Amino acid sequence: MSNTVNHIQITYFSGYIRNWQKLCGELSIALPLSREEREEAILKNAFIKWGTELPQHLFGMFAVALYDENAKKHYMFRDPVGQKQMFYTTAGGELVCSGDIDAVVAGIEKRLNTRMLQQYLFYGYPIGTETFYENVFKMPAGHFAEWDGRSLTLHRYFMPLFEPDTGKTVDEWADEIARVVEEICAEEKADTELPYKESFLSGGVDSSYLLAASDAVCANTVGYDEEGFDESSPARRTAEIVGKGFRVKHISPEEYFERIPTVIDKMGQPLGDASAVAFSLGCQAVGEFAKVVYSGEGIDEFFGGYNAHKREIPKEWTYLTCSHIMNNEVVKSLLRGYDDTLSAEEPVRALWEATEGQEPLARKLTVDISLWLEGDIYLNTDRTSTACGIELHTPFSDVRLFNVAKKIPASYEFMEGQNKYVFRKAAAKLLPEEVAFRKKVGFPVPVRKWLADERFNKPVADVLFGATSQKFFRQEELRDWWTRFLGGEALFWNRIYAVYVFLLWYDLKF
């Protein structure tokens, strides 16, 4: 490696640089190199050439920390939509950063951030830049940071704003999506150092399109005995249509509940998203066959795939992302030490105000990409896949695809009773219409049924009403939820699950 880059030290890197071939050409990096060597060369040479504009030249997923000996500064970079995690602290006058929050807190005194606990109860996931630990922060997606030994400064380089362009028809936008998908998948296919790949597959269009467009050899899904939750039949049909192998990991309630503590431990922070446990079991299963696996995250947030994106909200309301499980009054009734100065709107308000005047869909998608996608979905996929020893690639989260999505008018996204209509039109170029326009199911897990079953819920109740719970939650309120849930009010299941997960995490970490 040239001496001109020796003053740059890569102190942390996690991710995959998808456009590495083009970058090696632009940066005059001689090949062949091992993947580790080429990634180090790319990052060093890119920083020399572009400085803090480095992340705008990388396509893929990345969390990077480097030290410039000449400037005596540390820099951190996180990819535009936050596919890879990055946490940091400057406690003690040193910058410590990692994608694993446990590695960051290992050298400091751990103290619970009760502000985050309150926000977590609102949303069901750790939203925003604070974490469950005092003085430990999450690097926001689309940002870079500078640390000079005294102060840390954050800079935004990417904002997921929408700029609708009515100059193209639906079919023309579908052609543009198909072109970019082909470009992204061609880069993945060209990486011969990763010769064998598999894919996750649900019954939906996103993972189906990815399977058809990619070089994945086999598709993987999870299944359940409970009717209405199992997507393995439509997934199997899709795999047959595109000529790929197919494998199902059946999940039992016993296996699911046994897995929860492991998932929460490896996650690093509480996550009330019940699909994370199922995803972990899926990752463990596919890890027996492949170390690089595709997954279709990003499309719903880029193109408007959730029902919440279609619903009108009163003009005076703030959109609290597509997932929030409690309101201020409910949290206040439950949480001891509730802070009246902290509202559910706080993490969202600035973004919501910044999009004033845009179409309602565009405003919602900006919020969901900035907070929900990286705070819930990517926290789950990144930490879970890493813990299971697989490298998860999410090609549809590539910012080049967002750069198409941001120009599509909202009126094109909801047509003929479908959401993300233009994306489905693009998918229909490789898939039959029965698959491309199949109704969205999501990634359902029958937790609410299992939680109500006395064969499985006694250990949950023991935690809900144990000593740790009494420190944080009003027991009469929690017991009322539990009684009403067992009595058939299914609405309470996600609140109960989120509280249960926090208590498990707290006992594991404190």
Side-chain angles (χ1 to χ4, degrees):
M1 191 173 297
S2 170
N3 290 332
T4 60
V5 299
N6 286 346
H7 65 286
I8 305 298
Q9 300 175 15
I10 308 302
T11 56
Y12 180 83
F13 173 69
S14 176
Y16 178 68
I17 301 171
R18 187 171 291 115
N19 62 326
W20 64 270
Q21 287 184 316
K22 181 180 179 182
L23 288 171
C24 285
E26 289 182 5
L27 299 169
S28 301
I29 297 171
L31 298 173
L33 293 172
S34 70
R35 177 178 166 184
E36 183 177 357
E37 289 171 332
R38 87 183 184 215
E39 288 173 339
E40 181 180 3
I42 286 170
L43 293 171
K44 287 185 174 183
N45 283 278
F47 186 75
I48 293 294
K49 183 170 184 175
W50 295 306
T52 55
E53 293 182 0
L54 173 152
Q56 297 167 63
H57 296 267
L58 306 183
F59 295 134
M61 54 184 184
F62 53 87
V64 182
L66 60 84
Y67 179 65
D68 184 341
E69 291 182 351
N70 290 349
K72 305 300 181 187
K73 281 187 177 182
H74 292 268
Y75 296 87
M76 295 184 294
F77 305 88
R78 192 174 177 205
D79 67 67
V81 292
Q83 297 165 79
K84 300 300 290 184
Q85 301 295 302
M86 179 67 107
F87 303 96
Y88 67 91
T89 184
T90 57
E94 298 286 338
L95 175 67
V96 179
C97 61
S98 175
D100 181 356
I101 197 170
D102 289 335
V104 176
V105 302
I108 65 173
E109 180 184 357
K110 294 191 293 187
R111 295 192 300 272
L112 179 69
N113 179 5
T114 55
R115 282 174 50 89
M116 178 50 72
L117 171 57
Q118 188 165 320
Q119 295 288 21
Y120 166 79
L121 294 173
F122 292 139
Y123 289 94
Y125 61 95
I127 190 171
T129 57
E130 292 190 44
T131 73
F132 272 88
Y133 297 100
E134 288 187 2
N135 300 317
V136 176
F137 302 92
K138 179 172 59 179
M139 178 83 175
H143 283 68
F144 72 89
E146 298 176 89
W147 166 253
D148 61 6
R150 297 179 301 277
S151 62
L152 185 139
T153 308
L154 282 171
H155 308 269
R156 179 187 286 276
Y157 71 86
F158 173 79
M159 179 74 167
L161 292 174
F162 286 74
E163 304 164 351
D165 177 0
T166 58
K168 290 184 179 181
T169 66
V170 167
D171 288 335
E172 287 172 331
W173 280 122
D175 288 342
E176 184 68 8
I177 292 170
R179 183 193 65 77
V180 173
V181 167
E182 183 177 5
E183 176 187 351
I184 292 168
C185 289
E187 290 175 346
E188 292 273 358
K189 294 174 184 177
D191 195 345
T192 55
E193 194 171 330
L194 305 173
Y196 181 80
K197 301 161 193 168
E198 296 197 0
S199 185
F200 286 116
L201 178 65
S202 69
V205 61
D206 306 350
S207 58
S208 298
Y209 188 12
L210 180 57
L211 178 66
S214 75
D215 54 342
V217 176
C218 184
N220 297 263
T221 193
V222 297
Y224 312 95
D225 290 335
E226 285 74 14
E227 186 177 351
F229 292 88
D230 189 277
E231 292 186 89
S232 61
S233 292
R236 183 186 299 277
R237 173 63 179 149
T238 299
E240 291 171 351
I241 289 170
V242 299
K244 302 293 179 82
F246 184 71
R247 206 180 290 120
V248 181
K249 164 60 182 176
H250 286 283
I251 298 176
S252 68
E254 294 89 348
E255 190 176 24
Y256 182 93
F257 283 109
E258 182 181 352
R259 187 75 171 184
I260 295 176
T262 299
V263 172
I264 298 307
D265 183 29
K266 298 299 184 181
M267 198 73 66
Q269 295 193 90
L271 179 62
D273 187 340
S275 69
V277 180
F279 187 69
S280 175
L281 291 165
C283 286
Q284 182 183 49
V286 74
E288 297 179 16
F289 303 94
K291 294 305 176 187
V292 179
V293 185
Y294 293 124
S295 191
E297 281 75 20
I299 295 302
D300 286 323
E301 293 78 12
F302 288 3
F303 292 91
Y306 299 121
N307 289 332
H309 295 151
K310 292 189 284 189
R311 296 191 198 105
E312 291 187 17
I313 61 173
K315 290 184 178 180
E316 66 274 15
W317 284 19
T318 298
Y319 175 70
L320 302 180
T321 78
C322 63
S323 176
H324 55 278
I325 59 177
M326 306 184 204
N327 59 32
N328 292 309
E329 291 72 26
V330 171
V331 175
K332 187 172 185 177
S333 70
L334 174 69
L335 183 64
R336 297 184 185 278
Y338 178 87
D339 183 353
D340 284 299
T341 67
L342 180 64
S343 71
E345 291 78 13
E346 182 174 301
V348 180
R349 187 177 294 115
L351 271 173
W352 192 244
E353 291 174 353
T355 59
E356 182 71 42
Q358 292 196 357
E359 293 179 329
L361 175 62
R363 302 185 74 189
K364 290 178 179 180
L365 296 184
T366 294
V367 168
D368 279 337
I369 293 169
S370 301
L371 297 170
W372 150 261
L373 181 59
E374 73 84 25
D376 183 320
I377 304 299
Y378 292 142
L379 172 62
N380 171 11
T381 56
D382 179 36
R383 299 309 306 153
T384 299
S385 59
T386 300
C388 292
I390 67 173
E391 179 172 298
L392 193 76
H393 287 200
T394 53
F396 286 169
S397 295
D398 194 296
V399 72
R400 287 171 289 186
L401 197 52
F402 170 79
N403 287 336
V404 179
K406 73 179 183 180
K407 297 179 182 179
I408 298 175
S411 59
Y412 292 2
E413 298 290 19
F414 304 123
M415 299 179 69
E416 298 181 11
Q418 295 281 357
N419 52 14
K420 53 191 180 188
Y421 180 79
V422 186
F423 181 80
R424 292 178 185 274
K425 290 279 285 186
K429 297 177 185 296
L430 292 182
L431 298 169
E433 291 210 356
E434 68 176 271
V435 178
F437 291 90
R438 184 182 287 152
K439 183 180 178 182
K440 180 177 176 61
V441 179
F443 192 58
V445 183
V447 178
R448 67 174 181 266
K449 286 193 172 185
W450 295 340
L451 269 177
D453 192 323
E454 61 182 10
R455 293 175 297 171
F456 314 120
N457 64 23
K458 186 180 184 305
V460 175
D462 289 344
V463 172
L464 286 175
F465 306 112
T468 300
S469 178
Q470 293 169 33
K471 290 171 55 175
F472 295 104
F473 305 119
R474 293 188 175 90
Q475 297 299 289
E476 64 278 10
E477 185 70 14
L478 194 56
R479 194 165 293 280
D480 179 61
W481 291 5
W482 185 243
T483 300
R484 293 170 67 181
F485 169 68
L486 295 181
E489 295 187 50
L491 168 70
F492 288 95
W493 83 265
N494 54 0
R495 299 181 187 178
I496 290 167
Y497 183 82
V499 170
Y500 172 61
V501 163
F502 165 74
L503 294 170
L504 285 178
W505 173 83
Y506 185 87
D507 285 340
L508 284 167
K509 304 300 182 181
F510 289 90

